[in-house]
Amino acid sequence: MSRIRLLLPSALLAGGCVAPGLKYIDPPPVTTTTGDSSTGDDGSTSIMTTTESSGGEGTASTEGASDGSQSTTTGTDSSSGVDTTTTGTTGAAKPVCGDGIVEGDEECDDANDIADDRCDGCTKNRWIFATAAFHNDGDIGGIEGADSRCRQYALQSGKADDTWKSFIAWLSDADHDVRDRLYPGRGRYVRTDGVVVAKTVEQFFSGALEAPINVDEHGNQDIGGGVLTGTKPDGTAAPGTHCDNWTSSSLSDHSAYEGNASSITQTWTMFPDDPPLPCTALSARLYCIEGE
């Protein structure tokens, strides 16, 4: 008789019943978490986490992460009312201009807000000047020779520091447009006396400057004179042979176009209505512009 009483509760439980006086306790919910990640246009990563529970549906939400700072996901088990939260940090912080660290699309970061130094708003102030030297004919060694002269003048000026190798001449020929040779910097273009000539590289192709390029590499002002350019106001090559691509000093060759160093209108680079000059006895300067 005592043996039957011992077996009875087990038999009832096996049949899905609960003996009087005993309380059935639900097992704890089983929670699984899965995540999907996505990468934004700025390189940051966002993580979406979904929480599922036995006995109920999971819900998920994602906050933050669009700036690469923090992603928080919260899930709720509908049967047990248990909240689960997952927080993670992904991606990289956006560059901060003024922290002294060059990162992202910054050209420079000198950790100050002085507008007239070499770094303005984390973009670079690039030098531009008209050469102190005059060039007497159309044979200047081609575009490469003109670029080389600009680099030597920049080096000798002492202002170009370690960037002198990036200088080019504002010069086109029959095969090259100067607008394709300029480095597409984001900053301003400044004379060696600190005056802004162009606020952006695109301003050179607009036909109007902020100030004339009548200052040489040493900072001497109001130098004036003609400047060899071979370039129309939109930055493309003028028509003609350009003194056989700037290698000719022939008296019979009339294909040199000049600009005026004292002008801020389109004549700074070319007189559109004037015929080209002979490729000898030109006595003209070069415009030199800093690149990368």
Side-chain angles (χ1 to χ4, degrees):
M1 190 65 182
S2 61
R3 183 177 181 183
I4 293 175
R5 281 197 299 269
L6 290 172
L7 293 177
L8 183 57
S10 299
L12 290 173
L13 289 174
C17 300
V18 178
L22 296 178
K23 182 180 180 181
Y24 180 75
I25 300 175
D26 292 332
V30 177
T31 301
T32 59
T33 302
T34 60
D36 294 322
S37 64
S38 61
T39 302
D41 293 338
D42 60 353
S44 63
T45 302
S46 175
I47 299 176
M48 178 69 178
T49 304
T50 303
T51 303
E52 297 179 354
S53 303
S54 60
E57 296 180 355
T59 61
S61 64
T62 303
E63 301 175 357
S66 61
D67 60 353
S69 57
Q70 190 176 71
S71 173
T72 302
T73 302
T74 302
T76 303
D77 175 17
S78 60
S79 64
S80 63
V82 176
D83 291 336
T84 59
T85 301
T86 302
T87 301
T89 301
T90 61
K94 291 182 179 180
V96 177
C97 183
D99 63 0
I101 302 172
V102 179
E103 54 190 345
D105 62 352
E106 295 177 345
E107 291 187 326
C108 55
D109 193 328
D110 57 1
N112 69 54
D113 56 0
I114 301 174
D116 295 331
D117 64 4
R118 290 280 276 162
C119 187
D120 175 33
C122 290
T123 63
K124 187 176 180 180
N125 283 333
R126 289 173 167 81
W127 294 123
I128 181 170
F129 59 83
T131 62
F134 284 90
H135 305 88
N136 296 323
D137 55 51
D139 184 4
I140 51 177
I143 280 182
E144 294 81 4
D147 289 349
S148 178
R149 295 183 190 212
C150 280
R151 290 163 188 167
Q152 291 301 313
Y153 298 144
L155 178 63
Q156 293 166 10
S157 75
K159 291 182 176 294
D161 46 64
D162 60 348
T163 67
W164 64 273
K165 291 183 180 179
S166 71
F167 276 77
I168 70 163
W170 174 271
L171 194 68
S172 300
D173 66 14
D175 303 314
H176 304 88
D177 296 331
V178 75
R179 66 179 301 142
D180 296 331
R181 303 195 319 111
L182 284 182
Y183 177 76
R186 296 174 50 234
R188 305 179 302 175
Y189 291 80
V190 182
R191 296 186 323 203
T192 51
D193 63 351
V195 174
V196 175
V197 169
K199 295 179 179 178
T200 65
V201 69
E202 289 80 12
Q203 189 169 357
F204 287 119
F205 318 131
S206 70
L209 301 178
E210 300 293 317
I213 314 171
N214 60 351
V215 176
D216 69 17
E217 62 267 34
H218 306 292
N220 297 315
Q221 300 174 326
D222 301 322
I223 57 175
V227 185
L228 286 178
T229 65
T231 303
K232 296 187 293 186
D234 64 357
T236 61
T241 63
H242 303 274
C243 299
D244 194 16
N245 284 352
W246 307 112
T247 62
S248 171
S249 57
S250 171
L251 284 171
S252 61
D253 190 350
H254 290 61
S255 59
Y257 283 94
E258 290 187 358
N260 179 6
S262 298
S263 175
I264 62 171
T265 66
Q266 62 180 356
T267 57
W268 78 269
T269 183
M270 180 180 167
F271 292 88
D273 298 327
D274 290 356
L277 301 171
C279 295
T280 187
L282 290 173
S283 188
R285 307 178 191 272
L286 293 172
Y287 291 131
C288 299
I289 306 178
E290 185 179 359
E292 186 175 5

